[in-house]
Amino acid sequence: MLQEIFAYAFMQKGLIVGSAIAIICSLMGTFLVLKRYSLFGDALSHMAFGGISLGLFSGIYPLWTAYAVSILGALGMTKLRKSTKISGDAAIAVLLVSGFGIGILLISATGGFSVDLFSFLFGSILLISNEDTILILAISVGVVTSLVLLRKQLIHFIFDEEQAKVSGVKVDRLNYVFVIIAAITVITSMRLVGILLISALIVLPNITSMLFGKGFRQTVIFSMIISVSSVISGIILSYYFDLAPSGTIVMISVGILVATLGVKYLGLIGRAAPIQKTS
């Protein structure tokens, strides 16, 4: 039966692209969760909703406008948080509602929802083109490379900004780079689970991984394994049972989290210890 799945080009592309997206989401998600930016991905996805609506309204390829609007929104949110007394979660809320409001206005101006918009809202991993596949893989390599090169600075940054400054890290510049990479990750991942579910793919595998109470490196590895496993099994199960891949992937991630909590409750997993930045 599995040979049948791999015989189809759209399944091959879906599994390859899905695995790449799972890796960048879990990797970026580790930094976001530890930075207490868990809802940042959700806010960026709602800003992307406005960007996609702008693209459909203006006749520009929606993915490009989504990248532009989300990156500008993320930079604006960071500037707002630094230049005012608005807290991080409040700034994220501003970003979220602004993106959604822009999207609703533009959708109403164009006459309502379209098939293209629905594919971005709920994901269309099995319908992506060859061009999208190449674009997503190239961006995924860029995101992973950037995070690996910046890992030491980012680890200092997410655990203690003041200590990072003392260590010579240019925190303000790194903050802007961080949110740009996060925005790119979110927009790239929309084709897998859609705008409405992207935060689940970023947050759930990392929360599950952190329950094991291991060091930073092990947490990242566990998160990647959980994320890739959820995506691959979700795509395969959605094909066999004719289900939406995005929803299947998310519910598998939820199932893994619940199962891990159950095992932890039974005492089969040791008490989670705080993640150490030196790991």
Side-chain angles (χ1 to χ4, degrees), residues 11-138:
M11 288 297 293
Q12 295 171 6
K13 288 188 294 184
L15 291 169
I16 293 172
V17 171
S19 298
I21 289 175
I23 290 172
I24 63 173
C25 280
S26 61
L27 186 56
M28 189 72 230
T30 303
F31 292 106
L32 289 173
V33 172
L34 291 174
K35 187 64 177 171
R36 302 186 185 278
Y37 277 11
S38 297
L39 291 179
F40 191 57
D42 200 33
L44 285 173
S45 66
H46 282 74
M47 184 59 69
F49 175 67
I52 288 168
S53 301
L54 176 62
L56 295 174
F57 177 78
S58 60
I60 302 173
Y61 184 49
L63 211 55
W64 296 128
T65 51
Y67 277 118
V69 171
S70 295
I71 290 174
L72 290 175
L75 292 174
M77 185 215 72
T78 303
K79 184 66 175 178
L80 180 68
R81 186 172 65 86
K82 286 186 171 297
S83 60
T84 67
K85 293 184 179 180
I86 296 178
S87 62
D89 57 345
I92 289 174
V94 171
L95 184 67
L96 191 153
V97 298
S98 299
F100 205 69
I102 293 172
I104 293 296
L105 288 176
L106 291 174
I107 287 172
S108 63
T110 54
F113 288 88
S114 65
V115 175
D116 288 336
L117 186 57
F118 269 103
S119 71
F120 284 107
L121 284 173
F122 301 106
S124 55
I125 189 65
L126 300 181
L127 300 177
I128 60 174
S129 64
N130 291 330
E131 292 76 12
D132 282 341
T133 299
I134 295 172
L135 175 65
I136 291 172
L137 290 177

Side-chain angles (χ1 to χ4, degrees), residues 171-203:
V171 171
D172 290 339
R173 182 185 300 177
L174 184 62
N175 209 343
Y176 287 118
V177 172
F178 179 68
V179 296
I180 289 174
I181 297 174
I184 292 173
T185 301
V186 169
I187 307 307
T188 303
S189 306
M190 286 191 315
R191 301 312 300 264
L192 178 59
V193 293
I195 292 171
L196 300 180
L197 298 175
I198 185 60
S199 60
L201 193 61
I202 290 175
V203 172

Side-chain angles (χ1 to χ4, degrees), residues 228-240:
V228 172
S229 299
S230 299
V231 168
I232 291 177
S233 57
I235 291 176
I236 292 174
L237 287 175
S238 67
Y239 171 80
Y240 279 125

